[in-house]
Amino acid sequence: MIVRTWHGLAKADRAEAYIRHLEEQVFPALTRIEGHRGARVLRRETAEGVEFMVVTRWTSIDAIQAFAGDDLTRAVVEPEAQGHFLCMDDRV
């Protein structure tokens, strides 16, 4: 099992929109990738905004490559989601 983790700090007023984006678009798309074994989102409110950690589980490097492409440590954050964040990891 391989785990990828990603962190981002969302604007407080955009946190719920990001959760909806994950639940309605990202997580369903992940289930269609062979070798994907689940995803979780953790959140913590801070003085600056809402901190998110997204954890995805994979069976192999090939499965991750099907998701992320050749650069396996590149964070995959759709442009639509990027606007929710004050800052975010560009690597996982």
Side-chain angles (χ1 to χ4, degrees):
M1 185 73 55
I2 302 168
V3 174
R4 286 173 46 107
T5 61
W6 174 86
H7 300 89
L9 179 65
K11 303 168 189 174
D13 64 340
R14 302 296 302 163
E16 291 306 317
Y18 178 63
I19 292 291
R20 277 192 310 278
H21 171 75
L22 286 175
E23 291 175 345
E24 294 173 4
Q25 295 180 34
V26 177
F27 290 168
L30 291 177
T31 65
R32 294 188 289 272
I33 299 173
E34 186 174 338
H36 176 257
R37 291 296 178 254
R40 297 269 190 255
V41 61
L42 306 171
R43 68 185 280 169
R44 176 175 74 124
E45 294 191 25
T46 70
E48 296 83 23
V50 179
E51 182 181 358
F52 286 100
M53 180 167 60
V54 178
V55 180
T56 56
R57 297 187 326 269
W58 305 88
T59 59
S60 68
I61 294 295
D62 290 337
I64 294 171
Q65 192 169 28
F67 169 64
D70 290 332
D71 186 353
L72 300 176
T73 64
R74 177 182 68 87
V76 178
V77 183
E78 297 172 357
E80 172 187 335
Q82 292 177 13
H84 300 305
F85 289 92
L86 297 166
C87 61
M88 64 186 135
D89 294 346
D90 61 352
R91 312 300 295 170
V92 297

